[in-house]
Amino acid sequence: MILTANCFSVVPNLTPNVGCKSRSQVLVRSLSVRDQKVVYVENEQISYEVVGKTRKEDVLSSLEILWDDGFGTQSSKDFFKLAEEFIKPDGGPPRWFCPISCGRPLKDSPILLYLPGLDGLGLGLLLHEKALGRVFEVRCLHIPVQDRTPLEDLVQFVEETVRIEHALSPKKPIYLVGDSFGGCLALAVAARNPTVDLVIILANPATSFERSQLATFHSFLEFLPNLLYGALSLVFLSAIRGLGDILPKDTLIWRLKLLQSAAAYANSHLQAITAEVLILASHNDKLFPSKDEAQRLSRSLQNCRVFLLRGNSHQILLESDYCLLTIIKGSTKYRRNSYHNLVKDYIPPSMSEYMKEAKSHWLYHLATSPVMHSTLEDGTIVSGLAGIPSEGPVLFVGNHMLMGLDLFILFLHFLKEKRIMLRGLGHPENLELDNNVENGMPHISVLLRVFGMLPVTAMNMFKLFSTKQYILLYPGGAREALHRKGEVHKLFWPEQQEFVRMAAKFEATIVPFGSVGEDDISEERSGRGGC
């Protein structure tokens, strides 16, 4: 059973003591889909409804285009408001809870276990809960403030959950999101379970504890008078806003000992980790040398990728400008099976992703003022995309302008006007992900993947056609986008167009199009400026 109160749910055998006061609107759900009960508690009057078996039609198999991911509706201020409730003593041990804002995930969604930082509250995904909850079964670890569970028991607690979930769904990956101290826990669990399909996401992992400000703070904290704790914690813990208010002195001493042990254990077992690892690091973390540590870990781990994000805060998940799900999608880490399926597992752009990208291209839109025309069935040319077929499969074949800057214009216009997701096919090298994202600006390949592009292969084209999607193809490829002076509007297409045969096999509509204007502007300015 899962007990849900207000904004979170907890497992009953790990719930607070029964002496705690009941809150209004409590949801009780069974972990089994065969029997679910919903209990509402209002003014101590209890009523319940038996929902019964979950029907297949109640579970979505995909998300609509420009879906609401809720990103930006909450902030770090909401974190500290909730923290006031979560730090109250309840006498309970560590436990998992499920944020209600996560809602119901897609069919066959993998489980995501969030392991918190030093605060132990489990609220670190607050900004990302709604987005993650649509494609993951999210559970967050809560370690009460007064809890003194040793490191070995914490690792075993997470490990048992991982093994149970793996036994229930052996073909699904299990995601561990480790935040700071939680990153050490995640690495420890991964090292002890090399045969379990794990995807580890580390947010400023605290494996560099010995080289951090906290190591210095820890060395004399035990001898610090209680009267000075508040003032000194503001100096040392300024990079973790409010931590001194969340954790009393004795708890912080205990947590720092846990962190020291966890970091040492994780660092000594890095070679045993076989899981996929994605590290998110603040560009200028004031508490830990996270940027350098991320690069060090990437050299020690077998399958690791690093993203450096803009910001000076150690609490990167509470202050990042980028939705965690966007980063997971753009780094091709999301999958619902033991292998990556770039078509089946693709998650369409959300409204916040669309708005962010549209905002970043406003200057280019202003400079070029792009206009699109389409042709109706009777041959009439109209402004806009009214002539685009309403059903797929459809293959758009066209020419690249200089640098391929027209690509995002097409993506955004089709999303805005037709709610159509163009699945672009690009050269694999253009979609390669590097290990360095400076100043908070993700690599162009990340954005291309988020907006539907995938490597141009016969198999990918076959999958897209078979699912009746809208495909965007530039036969001229990078050579056409990087054309030289005097090659304006020149096509660099191969003599044999194999895509025509495959399109015919699926009875797809082929829509040829031409892009003009950008090259003419660049040629004119080049002539005037003598470039």
Side-chain angles (χ1 to χ4, degrees):
M1 302 288 292
I2 295 181
L3 172 64
T4 308
N6 283 355
C7 64
F8 63 95
S9 59
V10 294
V11 181
N13 61 339
L14 298 175
T15 54
N17 56 16
V18 293
C20 294
K21 295 182 180 180
S22 300
R23 300 179 181 180
S24 61
Q25 293 187 346
V26 176
L27 168 65
V28 179
R29 293 189 302 172
S30 170
L31 287 177
S32 170
V33 297
R34 297 180 180 178
D35 183 24
Q36 297 188 4
K37 294 183 179 181
V38 181
V39 180
Y40 294 96
V41 181
E42 297 182 0
N43 300 324
E44 300 183 356
Q45 298 295 322
I46 301 178
S47 61
Y48 66 91
E49 174 186 1
V50 178
V51 179
K53 294 183 178 180
T54 301
R55 297 177 300 176
K56 291 184 179 180
E57 57 266 26
D58 291 337
V59 182
L60 293 177
S61 58
S62 62
L63 290 173
E64 67 276 9
I65 295 174
L66 301 186
W67 56 284
D68 178 17
D69 63 5
F71 188 68
T73 58
Q74 291 182 298
S75 67
S76 57
K77 294 181 180 179
D78 299 300
F79 170 87
F80 292 105
K81 290 180 181 178
L82 285 174
E84 294 177 0
E85 295 294 326
F86 274 63
I87 63 176
K88 294 179 180 179
D90 57 32
R95 72 211 73 164
W96 299 107
F97 69 87
C98 309
I100 285 182
S101 60
C102 289
R104 178 175 292 178
L106 295 177
K107 180 182 178 182
D108 298 326
S109 292
I111 189 170
L112 183 148
L113 304 176
Y114 171 70
L115 309 179
L118 276 179
D119 59 83
L121 301 181
L123 298 174
L125 292 182
L126 186 65
L127 278 62
H128 314 272
E129 288 174 353
K130 187 173 181 179
L132 293 175
R134 298 299 299 273
V135 297
F136 290 104
E137 294 182 18
V138 178
R139 298 182 197 171
C140 303
L141 177 62
H142 174 67
I143 306 174
V145 171
Q146 301 302 326
D147 180 75
R148 296 295 182 266
T149 302
L151 176 64
E152 180 66 21
D153 290 349
L154 283 176
V155 174
Q156 287 184 0
F157 176 73
V158 178
E159 185 177 50
E160 289 175 1
T161 303
V162 166
R163 291 179 177 177
I164 290 173
E165 292 299 329
H166 177 65
L168 292 174
S169 303
K171 294 184 179 181
K172 286 185 183 181
I174 298 174
Y175 285 73
L176 296 181
V177 177
D179 193 350
S180 188
F181 165 69
C184 299
L185 283 182
L187 291 173
V189 172
R192 291 159 59 119
N193 296 271
T195 61
V196 177
D197 186 5
L198 295 174
V199 180
I200 310 297
I201 301 173
L202 306 176
N204 284 335
T207 46
S208 60
F209 172 78
E210 295 297 339
R211 293 179 284 122
S212 70
Q213 291 188 39
L214 285 183
T216 305
F217 186 45
H218 180 222
S219 63
F220 62 87
L221 180 59
E222 295 186 59
F223 307 101
L224 183 70
N226 292 333
L227 292 176
L228 299 179
Y229 171 69
L232 196 58
S233 66
L234 290 177
V235 177
F236 277 91
L237 305 179
S238 60
I240 305 181
R241 293 174 50 206
L243 185 62
D245 297 328
I246 295 174
L247 300 181
K249 177 184 171 183
D250 59 334
T251 298
L252 183 57
I253 292 175
W254 173 260
R255 295 281 172 88
L256 288 175
K257 290 180 179 178
L258 279 182
L259 176 54
Q260 186 177 30
S261 300
Y265 184 91
N267 284 321
S268 63
H269 291 80
L270 293 179
Q271 299 302 322
I273 297 175
T274 59
E276 294 181 65
V277 180
L278 175 65
I279 302 178
L280 312 180
S282 293
H283 192 261
N284 190 21
D285 190 342
K286 299 297 185 180
L287 190 67
F288 287 82
S290 293
K291 179 180 178 180
D292 294 338
E293 180 65 5
Q295 299 297 344
R296 183 189 74 86
L297 290 174
S298 68
R299 294 190 295 267
S300 301
L301 296 169
Q302 301 177 31
N303 185 5
C304 180
R305 190 173 305 284
V306 175
F307 276 78
L308 298 177
L309 299 179
R310 179 177 53 244
N312 302 326
S313 172
H314 182 65
Q315 297 172 301
I316 191 171
L317 295 180
L318 289 177
E319 307 215 353
S320 174
D321 291 335
Y322 292 92
C323 178
L324 178 56
L325 180 58
T326 301
I327 297 175
I328 294 174
K329 293 192 303 180
S331 57
T332 63
K333 292 299 181 184
Y334 183 77
R335 54 189 171 90
R336 287 180 275 184
N337 213 315
S338 56
Y339 59 90
H340 288 276
N341 188 321
L342 296 177
V343 175
K344 181 180 179 182
D345 292 331
Y346 176 69
I347 303 170
S350 66
M351 180 58 76
S352 72
E353 290 170 337
Y354 167 81
M355 295 300 295
K356 186 177 184 66
E357 195 56 33
K359 183 179 180 180
S360 68
H361 282 76
W362 73 270
L363 185 59
Y364 182 71
H365 273 77
L366 181 64
T368 60
S369 300
V371 176
M372 294 191 181
H373 294 84
S374 59
T375 306
L376 302 179
E377 292 185 0
D378 61 2
T380 304
I381 299 177
V382 296
S383 178
L385 303 176
I388 301 301
S390 58
E391 295 183 0
V394 178
L395 176 63
F396 295 89
V397 182
N399 66 301
H400 258 315
M401 289 194 293
L402 186 63
M403 302 299 293
L405 296 178
D406 53 304
L407 195 58
F408 278 102
I409 299 298
L410 282 173
F411 285 157
L412 296 176
H413 265 74
F414 271 76
L415 286 171
K416 179 180 180 180
E417 185 173 339
K418 299 287 288 186
R419 287 297 198 274
I420 287 177
M421 186 68 245
L422 285 180
R423 301 303 307 273
L425 293 171
H427 195 284
E429 290 186 2
N430 294 333
L431 295 173
E432 284 294 325
L433 299 168
D434 58 24
N435 250 11
N436 193 13
V437 180
E438 293 285 352
N439 299 320
M441 295 301 295
H443 194 277
I444 186 64
S445 61
V446 174
L447 297 176
L448 290 175
R449 288 182 180 275
V450 168
F451 282 86
M453 183 165 282
L454 61 168
V456 55
T457 65
M459 182 56 68
N460 284 338
M461 183 175 288
F462 179 88
K463 292 178 179 179
L464 291 173
F465 275 131
S466 62
T467 51
K468 298 183 178 182
Q469 300 199 39
Y470 291 75
I471 306 171
L472 175 62
L473 179 66
Y474 292 97
R479 176 65 181 89
E480 195 169 86
L482 301 175
H483 58 255
R484 304 183 183 94
K485 185 176 182 180
E487 296 178 343
V488 176
H489 305 311
K490 183 178 179 179
L491 300 181
F492 295 86
W493 291 15
E495 294 182 1
Q496 296 183 353
Q497 306 296 336
E498 296 296 331
F499 63 84
V500 176
R501 296 184 181 181
M502 189 176 295
K505 180 178 180 179
F506 286 92
E507 299 182 352
T509 302
I510 299 179
V511 179
F513 69 92
S515 300
V516 296
E518 180 186 320
D519 286 327
D520 302 288
I521 294 175
S522 61
E523 282 289 317
E524 181 180 355
R525 291 184 176 180
S526 175
R528 290 180 179 179
C531 296

